Amino acid sequence: MAEAASITIVKDGPYIVKGAVPLGEDALVAAPEGDHMQYNRVRDYEVGGEYHLCRCGASAHKPFCDGAHEAAGFDGAETASRAPFDERAVVYEGDALRLLDDNRCAFARLCHRREGDVWQLTEKGGSELAQEAVAASWHCPTGRLEHHDRATGEVCEQTFEPSLVILQDTQKHASGPIFVRGGIPLVGADGHEYERRNRYALCRCGSSTDKPFCDAKHVIWEFNDGSPALEGQQGERDESFKELPAL
């Protein structure tokens, strides 16, 4: 039987990924329409059943760990709240949708669309704007934004196969977080299992004050892992994202 997908944090060390989880790399680029950001697939990595991803930002073989955290004296203390999402989230009400927002931000800017940002779109209502609002929330890599259909109570969330994506921000010329998709369990260095989420973003520059999650410090510090995406190779649209639900 194949080993189930999981991510375990090593104290002051890397992320151990088990279960032969696919690993890709996407560039965050402006969509052809020019009114929002999208993911473009740059490359896919060859990985085995288990691999270790750098968490400190010092590895010479990013995104993989090479043990550099030891020489760097990396402090990887997990400081993020462990309270459930529903307890941390602020609620925004609209006519058609309810938006929950826990404020974890990786500055991916996918929450901005042609007709406004996700908060404005939620409150404006209307079926077309509701579709735009959901598009803005479920593309967010951190999982901070979660829409609920007020008529049915259902969560508007896409289905991912377990997978990891290294993000590159071509506009800010910065290497972003690890986008974790498909509800992969995350276990802390002390054995604590974090709340299971469909989407979340893990820090890999070593500078987040909300470890293990990304808080956009990679943009401030201009973290660059040498990706070809930051040298102009922007790939083609990542087709792993599903169509939006009918609202």
Side-chain angles (χ1 to χ4, degrees), residues 25 43 62 168 175 223-231:
E25 183 172 310
R43 57 181 167 178
K62 302 178 189 70
Q168 305 289 349
S175 297
F223 176 59
N224 188 327
D225 66 3
S227 168
L230 300 184
E231 301 302 326

Side-chain angles (χ1 to χ4, degrees), residues 46-126:
E46 291 187 9
V47 294
E50 176 180 323
Y51 53 95
H52 298 187
L53 294 178
C54 176
R55 188 162 70 102
C56 70
S59 173
H61 299 289
K62 302 178 189 70
F64 302 103
C65 173
D66 66 356
H69 54 275
E70 295 183 7
F74 174 57
D75 180 1
E78 297 165 47
T79 55
S81 170
R82 293 179 170 183
F85 175 82
D86 288 352
E87 291 183 10
R88 293 183 286 104
V90 177
V91 179
Y92 297 84
E93 298 285 1
D95 291 340
L97 297 167
R98 175 177 292 110
L99 174 65
L100 277 66
D101 175 5
D102 77 351
N103 291 299
R104 281 182 177 156
C105 182
F107 199 61
R109 307 182 299 290
L110 292 145
C111 54
H112 295 265
R113 306 286 292 185
R114 179 181 64 254
E115 301 294 338
D117 63 39
V118 66
W119 303 275
Q120 295 167 335
L121 293 167
T122 299
E123 293 173 349
K124 286 179 180 178

Side-chain angles (χ1 to χ4, degrees), residues 147-169:
H147 270 113
H148 296 238
D149 187 323
R150 294 194 63 180
T152 65
E154 294 182 0
V155 178
C156 302
E157 186 70 30
Q158 59 190 315
T159 301
F160 284 117
E161 291 297 320
S163 57
L164 303 182
V165 182
I166 302 298
L167 296 184
Q168 305 289 349
D169 190 332

Side-chain angles (χ1 to χ4, degrees), residues 173-238:
H173 206 73
S175 297
I178 303 167
F179 181 12
V180 183
R181 316 187 303 186
I184 299 175
L186 175 65
V187 180
D190 62 355
H192 170 80
E193 183 169 336
Y194 287 84
E195 179 185 20
R196 191 81 59 93
R197 301 289 295 164
N198 185 41
R199 295 170 285 133
Y200 56 95
L202 294 173
C203 173
R204 67 186 186 96
C205 71
S207 300
S208 174
T209 56
D210 197 35
K211 294 183 183 71
F213 304 108
C214 173
D215 70 352
K217 288 295 190 307
H218 59 276
V219 176
I220 296 173
W221 297 112
E222 299 180 337
F223 176 59
N224 188 327
D225 66 3
S227 168
L230 300 184
E231 301 302 326
Q233 181 180 321
Q234 297 189 5
E236 300 293 334
R237 183 180 177 87
D238 184 342

